[in-house]
Amino acid sequence: MSERIFITGIGTGVGKTVTSACVVEALQADYWKPVQTGLTEGTDTDTVKSLISNPVSVCHREAYCLEAPASPHLAARLEDVNINVKRILELAHSIQPSSRSLVIEGAGGLMVPLTEQVFTIDFIQQLEAKVIIVAQNYLGSINHALLTAQVLRQRGIPVLGWIFSGEYHSNETEVIGWSGYPLLGRIPHTALVDRAFVKEQAEKLSLW
């Protein structure tokens, strides 16, 4: 089935890229990171490509790659680049597979600005994508998680559910209950993230 699944996080550094790889592997979907910022350690596209095992998934090239490890709108400003959201949407249509899903990884959370006028949540609506929320336990994570869930519900954006990453905490059960969105799985912390790990975690996800 061809649909768009947007991977967002309750913040930065919560495990979106590894989660994206696991979802891509589980669904044998395509992967796309429209806007990549912070190129010091390479791109998330390269990371996902190195972690998937199936022969079907395609990792599509970014629409924009920006050097600064900052929000897209700020990184673009520093490089005098104009991020054209209409162009990104056109690319989304051109790369959308006809018989499998397209997993789209965002930058940070919902209120990260792509431009001075367009935030990530606006972009999700324009893509007509369904959302998977990636969460991780840290001081303040309950607040960030529930705010994320609330604004998605207020916007009427369909949410598939939660994937938690890192060490388990009982807060997860409460966040699931309070938000009303189901648990799709959890990806534990590991010292080595490789194809075997991603394949193992992909098989444990409760997607469809």
Side-chain angles (χ1 to χ4, degrees):
M1 181 172 59
S2 179
E3 62 181 351
R4 293 172 184 167
I5 300 171
F6 197 97
I7 308 291
T8 193
I10 64 170
T12 301
V14 295
K16 290 192 308 299
T17 301
V18 172
T19 299
S20 295
C22 293
V23 173
V24 166
E25 185 67 22
L27 299 177
Q28 294 196 358
D30 282 11
Y31 170 86
W32 189 38
K33 175 102 173 191
V35 182
Q36 172 76 58
T37 63
L39 299 178
T40 305
E41 298 179 1
T43 68
D44 294 332
T45 303
D46 289 337
T47 298
V48 170
K49 190 181 298 185
S50 72
L51 291 175
I52 57 176
S53 305
N54 79 81
V56 176
S57 297
V58 176
C59 293
H60 298 277
R61 183 179 178 181
E62 305 86 355
Y64 296 92
C65 279
L66 303 163
E67 291 285 346
S71 66
H73 91 296
L74 180 56
R77 184 187 303 163
L78 292 172
E79 295 183 34
D80 197 26
V81 171
N82 176 43
I83 293 178
N84 186 328
V85 176
K86 182 180 178 181
R87 172 177 173 262
I88 299 176
L89 292 170
E90 290 171 350
L91 282 171
H93 287 300
S94 70
I95 68 173
Q96 179 76 40
S98 60
S99 59
R100 58 185 183 272
S101 297
L102 176 63
V103 173
I104 304 169
E105 181 182 351
L110 294 177
M111 297 309 296
V112 169
L114 292 181
T115 70
E116 283 75 8
Q117 294 82 32
V118 179
F119 292 83
T120 295
I121 192 167
D122 304 318
F123 181 52
I124 294 171
Q125 284 192 301
Q126 292 171 8
L127 284 167
E128 299 182 335
K130 298 177 181 178
V131 172
I132 290 176
I133 312 171
V134 182
Q136 193 176 85
N137 181 64
Y138 54 83
L139 186 61
S141 63
I142 294 176
N143 180 55
H144 293 163
L146 294 180
L147 284 173
T148 298
Q150 184 178 48
V151 72
L152 285 166
R153 180 170 281 112
Q154 288 174 341
R155 287 288 193 99
I157 296 172
V159 175
L160 295 171
W162 298 91
I163 295 180
F164 290 87
S165 68
E167 301 296 339
Y168 171 78
H169 195 283
S170 60
N171 288 344
E172 296 175 16
T173 302
E174 293 168 313
V175 165
I176 292 163
W178 287 329
S179 70
Y181 295 135
L183 175 67
L184 303 178
R186 71 174 333 281
I187 299 170
H189 173 75
T190 181
L192 177 63
V193 178
D194 58 10
R195 288 184 175 180
F197 175 79
V198 166
K199 185 175 177 60
E200 178 185 5
Q201 300 310 313
E203 292 171 353
K204 295 178 181 178
L205 294 178
S206 300
L207 298 176
W208 51 82

